[in-house]
């Protein structure tokens, strides 16, 4: 693995068993939350992950951080294969990898003082005495824009944006190499979102951090990311540097997502052709055969039902722009006029082998 690569995700799979509602069914059913994901994250970059609710973004993040055990596959972090490490062996590496959670209200214990919450990493890893920990906690509070004198306050005494800064401070305490931002601004007001995003950007530049940034808002992802991965039903369907992906999306699903991004100019909104996808997201228990997007794809053809596409360069793109599509979207192509060559009755969903 190249020294430039901090994290390598290799064919990671995470299934969750579910209780079948069918009587006398012998086989167990599984939710295919993450199903064969491959990623590399370079040192100092921000990799954005986008997709609909339930596509597997947060599950993948928790697999990377080993909050979930993998069903199969490998996670290599900073040259160490952490896929099967036990808790005791993982602990030293936990210092290098942290998570900022989505909900600043639910991720902080309301009964504990902020100084204790931010100081937990020092206590868990046995770093410094009480006086030294207090000094370090106050330093990191000041770093994220919190008043160090509020060390003894409870989370309820802070606003939503300040609570998220507490979460950022807790993640930063041990100066990790990788921070996974799991929708860190989605629960905040728009004006506060901008403050937190700018704070994360400043911290990255100041401390040389690497981010995996998960979000629903494609405008936010474009602003903060160097590369973007688009997920659908447990798989990466497109992966590219931010500008090529937003300007020349190859996968029909990426095109549909981008066509729904809010625009501030009403004249541009009238000119835009929004792509309306048919049907609902298929069940992650019984995923479609072939390409998982084919039941909703405006370009679906029989090949899409039969054969699963692989991530690869399309239509002359470079090796850094990958899409998993048999019939990629050409630049300037209007998907609102595309017509699938297979009828709705031919779009099949078959149980996925486990």
């Amino acid at each position: 693995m190249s020294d430039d690569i901090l994290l390598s995700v290799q064919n990671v799979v995470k299934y969750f068993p579910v209780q079948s509602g069918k009587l006398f069914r012998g086989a167990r059913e599984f939710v295919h939350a993450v199903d064969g994901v491959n990623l590399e994250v370079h040192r100092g970059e921000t990799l954005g992950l986008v997709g609909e609710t339930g596509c597997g973004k947060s599950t993948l993040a928790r697999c990377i951080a080993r909050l979930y055990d993998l069903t199969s596959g490998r996670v290599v972090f900073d040259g160490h294969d952490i896929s099967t490490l036990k808790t005791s062996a993982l602990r030293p590496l936990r210092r290098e990898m942290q998570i900022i959670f989505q909900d600043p209200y639910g991720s902080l214990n309301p009964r504990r003082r902020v100084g204790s919450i931010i100081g937990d990493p020092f206590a868990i890893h046995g770093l410094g005495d009480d006086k030294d920990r207090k000094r370090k906690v106050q330093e990191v509070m000041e770093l994220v824009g919190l008043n160090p004198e509020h060390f003894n306050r409870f989370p309820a005494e802070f606003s939503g944006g300040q609570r998220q800064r507490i979460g950022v401070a807790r993640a930063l305490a041990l100066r990790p190499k990788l921070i996974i931002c799991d929708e860190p601004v989605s629960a905040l007001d728009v004006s506060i979102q901008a403050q937190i995003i700018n704070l994360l950007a400043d911290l990255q530049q100041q401390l040389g951090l690497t981010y995996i940034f998960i979000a629903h808002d494609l405008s936010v992802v474009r602003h903060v990311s160097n590369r973007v991965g688009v997920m659908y039903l447990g798989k990466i369907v497109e992966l590219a540097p931010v500008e090529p992906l937003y300007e020349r999306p190859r996968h029909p699903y990426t095109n549909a997502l981008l066509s729904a991004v809010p625009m501030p100019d009403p004249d541009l909104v009238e000119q835009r052709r929004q792509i309306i996808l048919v049907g609902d997201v298929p069940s992650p228990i019984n995923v479609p055969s072939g390409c998982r997007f084919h039941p909703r794809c405006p370009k679906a053809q029989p090949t899409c039902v039969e054969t699963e596409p692989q991530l690869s360069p399309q239509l002359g793109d470079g090796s850094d722009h990958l899409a998993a599509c048999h019939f990629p979207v050409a630049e300037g192509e209007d998907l609102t006029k595309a017509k699938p060559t297979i009828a709705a009755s031919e779009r099949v969903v078959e149980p996925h082998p486990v």
Side-chain angles (χ1 to χ4, degrees):
M1 189 170 74
S2 168
D3 289 340
D4 182 50
I5 298 173
L6 178 63
L7 176 74
S8 176
V9 177
Q10 302 170 12
N11 200 32
V12 164
V13 174
K14 179 59 182 176
Y15 294 162
F16 294 99
V18 294
Q19 186 173 359
S20 172
K22 300 178 181 179
L23 293 175
F24 311 114
R25 185 183 179 96
R28 299 178 74 187
E29 292 184 327
F30 293 85
V31 172
H32 299 73
V34 176
D35 209 350
V37 168
N38 292 279
L39 282 175
E40 288 182 344
V41 182
H42 301 274
R43 297 178 191 273
E45 79 164 339
T46 298
L47 175 68
L49 281 179
V50 299
E52 292 171 287
T53 299
C55 70
K57 306 184 299 297
S58 294
T59 300
L60 176 60
R62 283 160 171 74
C63 288
I64 290 171
R66 281 298 316 279
L67 298 181
Y68 291 154
D69 290 332
L70 309 183
T71 301
S72 64
R74 297 175 70 217
V75 174
V76 180
F77 175 71
D78 203 17
H80 302 277
D81 186 344
I82 65 172
S83 313
T84 57
L85 292 183
K86 301 298 182 184
T87 303
S88 57
L90 265 175
R91 177 165 290 182
L93 293 171
R94 294 280 192 210
R95 298 178 57 173
E96 310 291 346
M97 183 190 307
Q98 294 292 321
I99 293 185
I100 300 171
F101 293 98
Q102 174 181 0
D103 183 6
Y105 300 92
S107 61
L108 303 176
N109 188 333
R111 296 179 178 84
R112 301 187 65 210
R113 299 182 188 275
V114 165
S116 298
I117 293 173
I118 300 175
D120 273 345
F122 300 111
I124 290 170
H125 292 277
L127 302 175
D129 55 23
D130 290 345
K131 184 178 180 180
D132 191 41
R133 290 173 192 169
K134 180 178 179 179
R135 177 181 57 80
K136 289 181 178 179
V137 167
Q138 290 181 320
E139 286 176 357
V140 76
M141 288 179 70
E142 189 170 10
L143 184 64
V144 301
L146 292 170
N147 189 338
E149 295 179 3
H150 297 164
F151 178 90
N152 284 319
R153 291 189 177 184
F154 291 97
E157 299 177 65
F158 293 87
S159 67
Q162 289 174 322
R163 292 185 204 187
Q164 194 59 294
R165 289 175 188 266
I166 295 169
V168 173
R170 178 173 57 184
L172 275 178
L174 299 178
R175 299 296 192 269
K177 295 177 180 177
L178 174 68
I179 294 183
I180 300 171
C181 307
D182 188 4
E183 302 197 39
V185 298
S186 62
L188 305 176
D189 294 339
V190 174
S191 60
I192 306 301
Q193 288 184 11
Q195 294 177 18
I196 298 299
I197 289 168
N198 290 334
L199 170 66
L200 292 173
D202 291 342
L203 291 171
Q204 182 176 39
Q205 186 173 15
Q206 184 177 347
L207 303 175
L209 301 171
T210 303
Y211 290 143
I212 295 177
F213 195 95
I214 299 169
H216 282 97
D217 191 329
L218 276 78
S219 299
V220 170
V221 170
R222 183 173 191 170
H223 179 72
V224 303
S225 303
N226 302 109
R227 291 188 299 138
V228 178
V230 182
M231 289 192 71
Y232 183 80
L233 213 59
K235 286 189 171 290
I236 299 285
V237 297
E238 190 160 2
L239 178 65
V242 63
E243 292 307 323
L245 185 132
Y246 279 75
E247 294 174 2
R248 300 186 305 279
R250 296 306 188 193
H251 199 282
Y253 178 62
T254 309
N255 278 264
L257 288 179
L258 291 175
S259 76
V261 174
M263 303 179 75
D265 189 334
D267 294 332
L268 293 178
V269 172
E270 290 179 1
Q271 297 172 14
R272 180 176 62 181
R273 298 187 178 108
Q274 186 168 346
I275 302 165
I276 307 298
L277 299 178
V278 298
D280 298 320
V281 180
S283 167
I285 297 176
N286 294 321
V287 297
S289 63
C291 174
R292 298 186 175 194
F293 187 58
H294 84 255
R296 307 173 71 197
C297 182
K299 298 188 70 172
Q301 299 187 32
T303 302
C304 305
V305 181
E306 300 161 1
T307 308
E308 181 177 342
Q310 302 300 312
L311 270 176
S312 60
Q314 306 289 345
L315 303 179
D317 291 331
S319 59
D320 59 349
H321 190 163
L322 310 176
C325 185
H326 294 301
F327 304 98
V329 180
E331 191 171 357
E333 182 178 352
D334 187 356
L335 282 187
T336 61
K337 298 179 180 178
K339 294 183 179 180
T341 61
I342 56 175
S345 59
E346 296 175 298
R347 300 183 180 220
V348 296
V349 176
E350 296 178 351
H352 192 284
V354 176

